[in-house]
């Protein structure tokens, strides 16, 4: 159940939670090729998007929006990807075209996170873009909290002009990521992580 605070409500400055720290220490994306159903319900999707939007946002620009792909919409965008790929790659085989057609049906739910910057706003564009990236990450965490595997993907269609036009993106917008969600067929293994001991201390 959502516990969205009311505007002006006093909120805790910090929440001491070892459980939360353990979730963050062990967070791991699940590759979309290992996803299956079921996917999130309508109410779960609404809650996850609400959580995703709770991000640091300098001057409250809200420089992002969401596009939800579920049910038949995944097949319709798959038809678009197949058509565009065939046009971009005239020598593409039927197998390659069908692979593109199936992109969005690899998981029960896909959410496109759109970076929607306001270039006229005094908040720098770079800061606005970072906010949309954090929205992607928050969505990964929200999916995990609801018990779903998730992966943040861009791939070629995130930057293809014909695809983004068909998705309704304006000139000031770009895809920050597509978040795929579903049930995991297998638990992922830990991957290599950066050595955080390699830091610089400034004096």
């Amino acid at each position: 159940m959502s516990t969205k605070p009311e505007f002006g409500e006093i909120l805790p400055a910090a929440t001491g939670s070892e459980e939360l720290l353990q979730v963050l220490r062990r967070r791991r994306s699940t590759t979309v090729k290992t996803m299956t159903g079921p996917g999130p319900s309508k109410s779960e999707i609404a809650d996850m998007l609400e959580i995703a939007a709770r991000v640091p946002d300098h001057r409250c620009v809200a420089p992002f929006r969401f596009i939800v792909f579920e049910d038949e919409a995944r097949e319709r965008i798959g038809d678009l990807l197949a058509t565009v790929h065939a046009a971009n790659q005239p020598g593409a085989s039927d197998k390659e075209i069908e692979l593109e057609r199936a992109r969005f049906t690899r998981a029960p739910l896909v959410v496109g996170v759109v970076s929607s910057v306001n270039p006229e706003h005094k908040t720098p564009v770079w800061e606005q873009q970072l906010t949309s990236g954090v929205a992607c990450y928050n969505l990964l965490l929200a999916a995990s909290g609801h018990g779903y595997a998730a992966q943040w993907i861009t791939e070629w269609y995130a930057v293809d002009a014909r695809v983004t036009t068909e998705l309704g993106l304006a000139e000031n917008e770009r895809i920050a990521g597509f978040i795929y969600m579903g049930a995991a067929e297998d638990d992922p293994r830990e991957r290599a992580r950066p050595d955080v001991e390699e830091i610089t201390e400034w004096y």
Side-chain angles (χ1 to χ4, degrees):
M1 179 180 296
S2 175
T3 56
K4 181 179 178 180
E6 298 293 332
F7 178 75
E9 180 179 335
I10 296 175
L11 301 175
T15 304
S17 171
E18 181 58 32
E19 182 180 3
L20 174 58
L21 291 174
Q22 278 295 86
V23 168
L24 296 175
R25 290 186 188 110
R26 302 181 66 85
R27 193 213 67 81
R28 177 75 170 91
S29 294
T30 302
T31 58
V32 68
K33 64 183 179 181
T34 65
M35 287 186 199
T36 185
S41 66
K42 295 288 188 183
S43 62
E44 288 174 325
I45 294 171
D47 188 57
M48 288 190 289
L49 295 182
E50 185 177 290
I51 292 170
R54 294 187 66 87
V55 291
D57 179 7
H58 191 190
R59 300 191 181 95
C60 300
V61 185
F64 56 84
R65 61 186 180 90
F66 304 113
I67 305 174
V68 176
F69 304 87
E70 57 178 336
D71 302 326
E72 291 79 11
R74 297 173 303 141
E75 297 174 4
R76 289 195 295 272
I77 189 161
D79 291 339
L80 172 64
L81 297 189
T83 299
V84 173
H85 180 73
N88 291 345
Q89 305 290 336
S93 66
D94 291 344
K95 182 178 179 180
E96 290 170 334
I97 292 173
E98 290 309 306
L99 183 150
E100 301 304 333
R101 192 186 309 278
R103 289 280 185 189
F104 276 62
T105 58
R106 293 177 292 181
L109 175 70
V110 183
V111 177
V113 181
V114 179
S115 170
S116 185
V117 302
N118 180 353
E120 305 301 322
H121 201 280
K122 61 182 179 179
T123 298
V125 166
W126 173 233
E127 292 186 14
Q128 296 183 49
Q129 292 171 330
L130 288 173
T131 293
S132 64
V134 181
C136 290
Y137 183 59
N138 247 20
L139 191 50
L140 289 178
L141 295 176
S144 181
H146 275 282
Y148 296 99
Q151 186 176 22
W152 177 353
I153 296 177
T154 48
E155 299 183 314
W156 68 269
Y157 42 91
V159 295
D160 185 276
R162 182 173 172 185
V163 173
T164 56
T165 297
E166 290 291 335
L167 289 177
L169 269 65
E171 290 185 5
N172 65 312
E173 296 183 322
R174 63 189 299 181
I175 296 293
F178 292 103
I179 312 301
Y180 286 72
M181 298 180 226
E185 292 183 329
D186 298 296
D187 289 330
R189 294 182 181 274
E190 173 66 332
R191 66 165 178 80
R193 301 289 174 178
D195 185 358
V196 294
E197 293 182 358
E198 296 180 6
I199 61 175
T200 299
E201 293 188 6
W202 189 82
Y203 296 93

